[in-house]
Each structure stands twice: as C-alpha cells, then as structure tokens.
Amino acid sequence: MADTKSYKLTKADLHVRGNNEPLDIKSIISEFVWFESIDSPFIRLDVGILDSTDLDTRLYGTEMLDIEFSTFAGQEEGRKEGRCKATFKMYKIGSVLKSERAKMYILHFAPEQMYFNEANRAFGMFGVKNGKQDLVQAMLKKHLKIPNKEIFVESHTPMNVICPNWRPVDAISYLTDKVSRVGKGRNSKTGKKGTSKKQAGFLFWQNKHGYNFASIDMLCEQDSINEFIYGQKNVNGNDPVADMNRIESIKYPDRANQLEKLRNGIYKTTTFGVVMAAPTMSSLPTSGASTDTEGPEGTVMGPVVSQILQLFKKASTLEKEFPYDLEAIEEFLDLHPTRSRMKILPKMTQQDSNNMDGGAEEESASILNASSYASQRWYLLNTHTLTIKVPGNTRMFAGAVIKVKIPTSQQKNKNKLPKDRMFSGKYLVKGVKHVYSNTGMTTELFLCRDSLPAYNK
C-alpha cells in the first residue's frame, strides 16, 4: 500500500439469480459508503455502480452481496481486527442514470436481519414469569436468526414484557430505558470498582463486530483503541505510518444551545410512574395521584426528580471534569424541572395472588429510576460532539473509545502548540462512515462525550 488512503477491496461478490457462481463486481464499483452508528440497529452499505453490461436488468432488489475490505491503517494493526467483512442483502435499487452506453446507479444494502425484522413479529409473554428471562437474546437468536458469535448482551435487571405483535427491534428498544445494569463497573472519577446496578440507559446497535445491547456507561468505561492528532501532514518524510493517524479535517458542532438543553431536561427532569387499574380489584375512583402501591391506580414511589449533578456523580464518564459551568446552571437547578416524563408501570401485569410482581420484584422501581437516568444520560453523552475525517481506518467501529489531540490556535511556545482542552481528550465513537472513491478511502468519525479532561493534563 502506497499511502494512508490506500485500501484493499478483497471481495465484492454479488449473488444474481440464474448464475451458479456469484459475480465479482469489484471492477464496476465506482464508490461505496459503509455506515454504522450506536443509534442505528443495522449497518447500511450504499454501492455506486458504473455499468456497461446491463447488470441492472438482471437485478430484482433482493440479491446478496459478500464484501470484504481493509485499509492501510487496518492492515498495520493485523488482518482480522483491521478489516470490514459482512454479507448484505439488497433492499433498494436507486434511480438509473444512462449516458450513452454506460449506466450509473446506486445499490442499497443492509443485513438480511433487516428483512427478518420486517417479516417476523414478537407476540406473547417474555420474562421471569414464564422462564423466558432474556427477551433480547430471544429476539436476536430466534427472530433475527443471528449466530451467538455476533451477539453481545450486557447483564441487566429482569423484566416481564408482553409483546403485542411487535417487530423484534421494537421489542428490544422497549427495554433500553427501562432496565438497569447488573454487575460491577468502574467509577470513572475514582477508578474504583463498585456496583453499577443503578446505572441505566442502554443502546442497541450493529457494528462490524456484531449486534450489541449495552449501556452507555459500559461503553464509556472502555480503554481507548487509538489516538488521532490534528497537525500538519507529510512532515515526517512522507511516511504513511506516521500520517495514518492524522486528522484531515474537523467539523465543530453548534455549541451552548441553552434553550435546547432546558427543553430536553438535561439540567433537571421529573419522571412519573403510573399504575393502571387492575380489573380484579375495586374500580372505585381514587382522588388524584396516590403512592399506595396496592391501590387500583396512581403513582408508585412518587415522582423521581433528577438533576445534572446527581447524574454526573453516578455516571461512568469518559473524563473526570464536569462539562458545564456550575455557577451558570445553579439558577436552573433551583427552579422546577423543565421536562416531565410518564411511564406506565407493569405492577399489575402477569400477577397472581402468590406472586404479585411476576418474579421481578424490583421491576416497577427499576423502570422508574432507569427511565429518569436513561434520558438524561443520553443528553449528557452528547454534551460535546465532534466530526473528524481521517485516512481510511477499518479498525474503527461504532461504540469504540478513542483519543483526539487538537492544538490551540495560539502558540505560546514556538516549538510546541498547547493542547486545546475543550476538544482534546477521550471520545466515544458514535458513528463511523467509510467512504471509498477513486482517490482512495477516508473515514469519518462522529464523536461525542460527556465530560472534560482534568486541567492538569
């Protein structure tokens, strides 16, 4: 490989109806875009085709594609870890542009599991009550037909769920803001091991390694897998190894939108848990909200009010420092919550006289606290966002942690630029986009984080 944007497209085999052998389409691919994100359940692949053989007339829109590629940076770190390899199923043929004898069009691909998600439905009871404790595993293995080696599910609190003809991904998404972590996690500020049961906020997504159901805090507890540096290129004798971790460009986001933060309830929010009336109990009306958990309706535990300082202390953050101006937000903390949420609690579902909670004794309390934590945790994670473009790097994946080093604009030492504390440091890779064109491959990394590096670093 000659430079940092070099790539190796090892395989691009399209399975076309009527052919015993797959078609090798590497030579007619003009470009492709691979995209994965922690807020998307499936990877997407868009392939641009420059065709002079009328291939499009033989396509039905359901063909399978086996693709494998790697980049210079990926090859430097080892073949298996540094490659992208997957099998996709076509779901759309884009509009065709014909110019003389050639045709240009885009083929849109996604994993075959996206078809299974649309064709299959989850119906019935899942949970402790009937022995089907892990709804996520059931959806992934039985309904989406995903092999064990491609599944990672973090341990979480049990729940009883009735699926009313949901798509598998919708059933999994239902749990993301209702379950809490089980096990031990690392506190990012003390470095000590401790219980993480009260941490919540789960995500479901696919990356190049497989399908993941994990908490935001677990992702932030990971070690960094790479460091990218913004600086001048080709200052090391055009050495591609030295330049493969250079940031080519940076997009800074909109910042300090205080009205949006207030509207989202990042500073202070309240969550209500409501129990619906049970048909086997008295239907006599009750006055207003009630904290009586055995009553026919009302709230359970009262409303949960959470604010940003409490959340930050509980979270396993990427860095150690609080990302907001404490003095500036004190006035918001003294006021009423700016966002209210309401959750229907399953206190009365799947119960009998001897088992009032269906085996999930902490379910109602867990849901109420988890919902309050999860919504704020997501907005805290996106406190600082950044988009960087680097030479193609197939080691990157959605859900990884990396370090970014960006110098300040003002140079106090003529031999060294100081590090910009506001934007340097650890980030979670929210999304990855590999873009191939005839000039080589670049990788865009969509980054986010919930905290700032300490001043002394």
Side-chain angles (χ1 to χ4, degrees):
M1 293 187 175
D3 57 49
T4 55
K5 289 190 177 181
S6 296
Y7 70 94
K8 187 175 183 180
L9 183 57
T10 309
K11 180 187 289 188
D13 292 342
L14 186 67
H15 299 262
V16 179
R17 186 180 301 180
N19 280 55
N20 293 327
E21 298 292 331
L23 295 179
D24 184 350
I25 62 171
K26 291 196 297 288
S27 61
I28 62 173
I29 294 178
S30 60
E31 61 181 12
F32 65 79
V33 176
W34 168 297
F35 181 73
E36 58 186 63
S37 172
I38 61 173
D39 55 4
S40 176
F42 301 109
I43 295 174
R44 301 297 178 92
L45 178 71
D46 295 337
V47 181
I49 300 293
L50 182 58
D51 177 24
S52 58
T53 62
D54 288 329
L55 173 64
D56 64 305
T57 61
R58 303 164 59 189
L59 302 179
Y60 291 85
T62 56
E63 287 74 16
M64 304 294 292
L65 174 69
D66 299 320
I67 190 167
E68 180 180 341
F69 62 94
S70 58
T71 58
F72 178 82
Q75 290 291 314
E76 285 295 306
E77 299 296 338
R79 180 171 176 78
K80 288 185 177 180
E81 182 185 0
R83 67 178 178 177
C84 290
K85 179 182 179 181
T87 298
F88 293 98
K89 191 167 186 176
M90 192 186 306
Y91 68 89
K92 178 181 176 182
I93 302 174
S95 57
V96 179
L97 176 64
K98 184 172 177 63
S99 177
E100 297 183 354
R101 297 181 60 185
K103 295 178 182 178
M104 292 177 287
Y105 48 91
I106 298 177
L107 302 178
H108 301 269
F109 294 90
E112 190 174 22
Q113 282 72 24
M114 194 163 74
Y115 274 79
F116 296 151
N117 185 55
E118 296 298 331
N120 293 325
R121 288 294 184 269
F123 182 82
M125 182 193 305
F126 296 86
V128 183
K129 177 73 174 178
N130 64 344
K132 299 179 180 178
Q133 294 192 34
D134 202 329
L135 180 145
V136 178
Q137 292 279 5
M139 295 300 104
L140 296 179
K141 293 178 181 179
K142 182 179 178 181
H143 290 77
L144 297 182
K145 307 182 191 320
I146 300 170
N148 281 331
K149 64 180 181 179
E150 297 181 16
I151 295 174
F152 172 76
V153 177
E154 184 182 1
S155 297
H156 53 273
T157 51
M159 268 196 68
N160 292 311
V161 180
I162 296 177
C163 295
N165 204 35
W166 281 342
R167 295 182 302 178
V169 167
D170 294 335
I172 296 173
S173 298
Y174 177 78
L175 296 183
T176 55
D177 67 342
K178 297 176 180 64
V179 296
S180 302
R181 299 179 70 189
V182 173
K184 300 216 179 253
R186 176 181 61 82
N187 186 295
S188 65
K189 289 171 275 295
T190 65
K192 297 179 180 178
K193 294 283 185 177
T195 181
S196 54
K197 191 172 183 180
K198 292 185 178 180
Q199 290 178 330
F202 277 66
L203 302 169
F204 173 65
W205 78 102
Q206 182 195 14
N207 58 25
K208 70 171 193 169
H209 296 303
Y211 293 83
N212 308 271
F213 183 78
S215 65
I216 295 173
D217 289 297
M218 192 222 74
L219 295 181
C220 293
E221 290 168 359
Q222 299 176 105
D223 294 326
S224 169
I225 66 169
N226 209 84
E227 182 177 45
F228 293 98
I229 302 171
Y230 186 73
Q232 194 172 354
K233 189 180 179 182
N234 298 330
V235 296
N236 299 296
N238 293 322
D239 181 4
V241 175
D243 288 331
M244 68 182 183
N245 293 323
R246 296 285 181 184
I247 299 173
E248 296 181 358
S249 64
I250 303 174
K251 293 180 182 178
Y252 291 93
D254 293 334
R255 293 178 54 208
N257 188 337
Q258 299 299 331
L259 292 179
E260 181 184 50
K261 295 181 191 304
L262 288 169
R263 190 173 297 120
N264 291 332
I266 181 64
Y267 298 132
K268 197 172 185 180
T269 187
T270 183
T271 306
F272 297 92
V274 178
V275 173
M276 305 303 290
T280 57
M281 300 181 68
S282 171
S283 59
L284 292 175
T286 58
S287 58
S290 169
T291 57
D292 180 7
T293 59
E294 300 304 325
E297 59 185 346
T299 61
V300 173
M301 298 170 52
V304 173
V305 178
S306 56
Q307 50 104 330
I308 186 67
L309 294 177
Q310 297 169 340
L311 176 76
F312 190 78
K313 290 178 181 178
K314 188 187 296 186
S316 298
T317 53
L318 287 163
E319 299 284 5
K320 297 182 179 181
E321 296 295 325
F322 189 67
Y324 299 100
D325 185 343
L326 282 173
E327 294 183 2
I329 66 171
E330 282 182 355
E331 58 180 300
F332 302 131
L333 300 181
D334 293 334
L335 300 175
H336 294 289
T338 58
R339 186 70 179 262
S340 295
R341 293 176 174 82
M342 187 172 292
K343 294 293 180 182
I344 304 299
L345 302 180
K347 191 73 176 175
M348 302 300 179
T349 61
Q350 307 173 33
Q351 70 176 18
D352 54 48
S353 58
N354 298 319
N355 192 2
M356 296 297 289
D357 292 290
E361 286 76 13
E362 299 181 10
E363 187 171 39
S364 292
S366 175
I367 289 176
L368 198 56
N369 286 293
S371 298
S372 177
Y373 183 93
S375 59
Q376 278 193 302
R377 187 66 181 93
W378 173 254
Y379 291 120
L380 178 65
L381 179 67
N382 288 275
T383 297
H384 286 164
T385 58
L386 201 65
T387 301
I388 63 174
K389 183 181 290 187
V390 300
N393 193 324
T394 45
R395 287 191 66 226
M396 297 297 104
F397 57 91
V401 172
I402 65 168
K403 291 181 180 178
V404 172
K405 188 175 181 180
I406 303 172
T408 60
S409 299
Q410 295 183 348
Q411 185 172 1
K412 297 180 181 180
N413 186 331
K414 62 181 180 181
N415 296 320
K416 184 179 180 181
L417 282 173
K419 185 169 62 176
D420 185 338
R421 174 179 172 269
M422 179 63 72
F423 288 102
S424 296
K426 286 185 179 180
Y427 283 89
L428 180 68
V429 179
K430 187 176 180 180
V432 175
K433 183 165 73 171
H434 299 300
V435 181
Y436 157 76
S437 66
N438 55 10
T439 60
M441 187 173 291
T442 58
T443 298
E444 279 190 75
L445 300 176
F446 302 88
L447 310 176
C448 59
R449 74 172 177 195
D450 48 20
S451 48
L452 290 174
Y455 278 99
N456 57 357
K457 287 189 175 182

